[in-house]
């Protein structure tokens, strides 16, 4: 694995937050993962892999110029410590209008952002899961579980849109989606062959028009962007939204998901049409070929270039 040295993209050292365009914070935490572990190693792996990227624009040859303040990687001892470690830094950055990047960690790290992200922003969740459970992890009844993140976001009054959902939706979540009329906001990757759905009645928590039967192209992206009602967006990325063939390792791998191209194209359009204020990447388990961490680093680099910063 590439060596971490706590700079992202090796550009301009580590400028003070006040002179930076963006800030990045790593969270080496995977205590709230219910299945595979390993995401705690992701922040340093992503920062390390970022040094291998070409940072020139492919058309102009111009070098990437944004200044990024790096808070380094926190290693919290428990959930309380984890949330405390994120909130202050995220708040300080976002209030100063700095683009904020949070590198998890399991998906529960997003709990640390809820007091910091502007209230008038929509969380656009790229995820194979709805994460709308009240609590998870069996006997532990964990409200901060990675399977309850969207519920906590909802509790704080944020708007949300989901892209790539297809796995382990339980009855509690189905009822919640129907009750709160969230179905319009959820874009599903079908996990069964197209004909399985043919002529069938769809339940209240699922809209046929939101099923991504032919993958994601311009029409689907327009539909997704129309479902985002606010100008401001926070991109909340759980890498299990990606199809397992894409080579990005994660704790809860799931087939029939997005391709790298579909994800990239969708995020590009969101950055063009909306004001993206920040990005979180969670559930990435680094691999020994540097595939996942290189993709994540490239995503950070691209979003920093595409967003209106
Ligand atoms: Mn997930």
């Amino acid at each position: 694995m590439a060596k971490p040295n706590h700079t992202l993209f090796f550009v301009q050292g580590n400028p003070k937050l006040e002179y930076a365009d963006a800030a990045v914070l790593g969270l080496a935490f995977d205590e709230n993962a219910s299945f595979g572990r390993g995401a705690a190693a992701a922040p340093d792996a992503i920062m390390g892999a970022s040094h291998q990227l070409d940072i020139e624009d492919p058309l102009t040859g111009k070098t990437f110029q944004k200044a990024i303040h790096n808070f380094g990687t926190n290693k919290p001892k428990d959930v309380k410590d984890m949330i405390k470690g994120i909130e202050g830094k995220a708040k300080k950055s976002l209030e100063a209008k700095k683009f904020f990047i949070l590198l998890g960690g399991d998906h529960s790290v997003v709990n640390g952002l809820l007091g910091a992200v502007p209230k008038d922003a929509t969380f656009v969740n790229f995820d194979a899961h709805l994460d709308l459970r009240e609590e998870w992890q069996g006997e532990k009844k964990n409200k901060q579980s990675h399977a309850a993140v969207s519920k906590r976001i909802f509790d704080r009054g944020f708007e949300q849109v989901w892209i790539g959902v297809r796995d382990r939706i339980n009855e509690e979540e189905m009822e919640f989606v129907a009750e709160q009329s969230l179905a319009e906001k959820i874009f599903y990757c079908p996990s069964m062959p197209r004909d399985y759905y043919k002529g069938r009645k769809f339940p209240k928590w699922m809209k046929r028009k939101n099923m991504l039967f032919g993958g994601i192209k311009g029409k689907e992206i327009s539909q997704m962007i129309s479902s985002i009602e606010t100008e401001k967006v926070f991109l909340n990325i759980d890498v299990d939204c990606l199809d397992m063939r894409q080579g990005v390792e994660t704790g809860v791998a799931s087939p029939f998901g997005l391709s790298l191209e579909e994800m990239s194209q969708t995020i590009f359009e969101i950055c063009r049409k909306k004001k993206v204020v920040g990005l979180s990447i969670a559930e990435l388990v680094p691999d020994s070929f540097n595939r996942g961490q290189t993709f994540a680093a490239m995503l950070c680099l691209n979003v920093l270039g595409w967003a209106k910063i």
Side-chain angles (χ1 to χ4, degrees):
M1 259 175 245
K3 248 184 158 177
N5 75 353
H6 296 292
T7 64
L8 198 58
F9 315 124
F10 244 163
V11 185
Q12 304 188 38
N14 195 0
K16 281 188 176 166
L17 183 64
E18 55 182 308
Y19 304 120
D21 302 298
V24 60
L25 169 66
L27 250 294
F29 187 80
D30 58 12
E31 295 295 307
N32 283 331
S34 57
F35 192 40
R37 291 281 170 94
D44 285 350
I46 296 169
M47 290 186 206
S50 75
H51 304 150
Q52 304 303 318
L53 296 177
D54 281 332
I55 55 168
E56 288 83 28
D57 182 286
L59 295 179
T60 64
K62 277 193 182 152
T63 306
F64 177 82
Q65 286 297 340
K66 301 249 160 73
I68 304 157
H69 176 72
N70 196 326
F71 286 108
T73 299
N74 278 10
K75 291 185 176 62
K77 53 181 191 301
D78 54 29
V79 179
K80 242 175 114 182
D81 192 33
M82 182 268 286
I83 293 176
K84 220 176 89 192
I86 302 170
E87 213 155 51
K89 295 181 180 85
K91 214 171 168 171
K92 209 169 137 190
S93 307
L94 287 161
E95 276 175 3
K97 308 267 186 279
K98 311 296 181 189
F99 190 90
F100 189 74
I101 299 177
L102 180 65
L103 303 175
D106 73 58
H107 207 174
S108 73
V109 297
V110 170
N111 285 302
L113 291 171
L114 304 184
V117 170
K119 282 279 169 226
D120 57 346
T122 297
F123 275 82
V124 176
N125 309 321
F126 285 81
D127 202 328
H129 309 96
L130 282 173
D131 292 345
L132 277 172
R133 299 169 193 216
E134 183 54 30
E135 53 200 12
W136 192 240
Q137 283 159 266
E139 291 302 300
K140 277 165 80 192
K141 301 232 177 284
N142 184 354
K143 279 184 183 287
Q144 261 77 44
S145 163
H146 71 160
V149 184
S150 297
K151 191 67 188 294
R152 298 291 83 79
I153 297 173
F154 180 89
D155 290 346
R156 297 289 277 259
F158 288 103
E159 295 279 337
Q160 295 183 81
V161 168
W162 289 258
I163 298 169
V165 174
R166 61 199 180 276
D167 190 24
R168 299 172 206 215
I169 302 158
N170 71 3
E171 226 174 314
E172 176 195 353
E173 292 177 298
M174 292 173 188
E175 275 170 24
F176 187 77
V177 170
E179 247 172 56
Q180 300 295 333
S181 309
L182 295 172
E184 293 277 351
K185 306 279 182 186
I186 303 169
F187 295 86
Y188 294 94
C189 290
S191 57
M192 303 286 250
R194 190 192 280 248
D195 281 354
Y196 174 85
Y197 302 91
K198 217 172 169 181
R200 304 272 300 265
K201 193 177 172 321
F202 269 52
K204 258 181 148 179
W205 55 276
M206 218 174 184
K207 294 272 179 217
R208 190 182 293 271
K209 69 178 176 61
N210 283 16
M211 295 294 284
L212 302 165
F213 284 118
I216 300 178
K217 299 188 188 76
K219 186 176 138 270
E220 289 76 20
I221 295 174
S222 300
Q223 204 186 332
M224 289 168 189
I225 292 177
S226 307
S227 74
I228 306 171
E229 291 174 44
T230 61
E231 175 60 16
K232 286 182 197 157
V233 163
F234 191 92
L235 293 172
N236 174 16
I237 294 165
D238 176 334
V239 297
D240 67 27
C241 70
L242 290 164
D243 189 86
M244 47 168 63
R245 284 173 304 181
Q246 303 301 306
V248 175
E249 302 292 337
T250 181
V252 191
S254 177
F256 305 113
L258 272 55
S259 68
L260 300 183
E261 293 85 351
E262 287 171 324
M263 188 186 189
S264 183
Q265 187 68 41
T266 307
I267 290 177
F268 174 65
E269 288 300 333
I270 294 173
C271 289
R272 277 224 296 209
K273 305 267 163 56
K274 299 285 178 182
K275 168 79 181 156
V276 179
V277 297
L279 162 78
S280 62
I281 300 180
E283 301 283 334
L284 179 97
V285 176
D287 63 274
S288 53
F289 299 101
N290 290 307
R291 293 177 301 200
Q293 50 269 45
T294 301
F295 171 69
M298 189 180 277
L299 193 61
C300 294
L301 177 71
N302 288 345
V303 172
L304 284 164
W306 299 337
K308 297 161 192 153
I309 299 173

